[in-house]
Amino acid sequence: MGHLLGQDLTQLVQESIVQQQFNVSVFLGGYLYAEEANSQNTARRTKEYQSNLRKYVDLIHTYQGKCLIADPSPLPVPAKLVARFNAIDRSVAKAGGCTYTSALSHLWSPATSVAKRLTLVDGIHPTATGYRLIVKALMPTLKRLVRSSV
């Protein structure tokens, strides 16, 4: 999306999300935060991520929607930083009653993802092949959530 989670959470966006009442909302918000935390104020970015993710989860629960929080696919950032954001994903999911998955976290190696054509040259954005792997990894969990929401 190219934006941090809080950037688009205006009153109008919140109202439209509630009005649409999605059965299942998927959150993959850790990508940009982890990238920025790697080059900027880590503590500020982790707090901001956790706060904004909670806001979205709370919003989804106002209409009894289900949510899935997924750790990002492998990123070219330090493992310690990835672990920190994955811990936030787990804790927000648990506290917010969301389903959590780490299904994407081991899809490929950041060191070889470009050579294997799973990500673009930035090592972050998936190629069509990378996206197919992501969809395949998330599909079983999404199917369960969709079936339980109808």
Side-chain angles (χ1 to χ4, degrees), residues 36-55:
E36 288 206 359
N38 190 38
S39 61
Q40 296 178 11
N41 186 325
T42 302
R44 187 174 121 240
R45 285 297 182 211
T46 54
K47 275 186 184 179
E48 185 181 303
Y49 176 60
Q50 185 170 20
S51 173
N52 287 327
L53 187 56
R54 283 182 177 161
K55 287 176 187 175

Side-chain angles (χ1 to χ4, degrees), residues 1-5 27-38 49 70-77 81 85-86 89 104-105 107-108 119 123-126 130-131 134 138:
M1 80 177 144
H3 288 183
L4 298 171
L5 286 175
F27 298 104
L28 295 158
Y31 286 92
L32 190 53
Y33 279 96
E35 279 294 313
E36 288 206 359
N38 190 38
Y49 176 60
D71 292 338
S73 53
L75 297 168
V77 299
L81 190 58
F85 280 91
N86 291 356
D89 287 343
L104 306 182
S105 62
L107 286 181
W108 53 71
T119 63
I124 300 165
H125 293 88
Y131 274 118
I134 289 171
L138 291 178

Side-chain angles (χ1 to χ4, degrees), residues 121-136:
V121 295
D122 62 8
I124 300 165
H125 293 88
T127 60
T129 302
Y131 274 118
R132 281 192 286 279
L133 287 176
I134 289 171
V135 170
K136 185 177 180 182

Side-chain angles (χ1 to χ4, degrees), residues 4-20:
L4 298 171
L5 286 175
Q7 286 179 274
D8 297 320
L9 198 56
T10 64
Q11 186 64 35
L12 183 61
V13 170
Q14 290 180 56
E15 289 170 7
S16 69
I17 289 171
V18 171
Q19 185 179 26
Q20 293 175 79

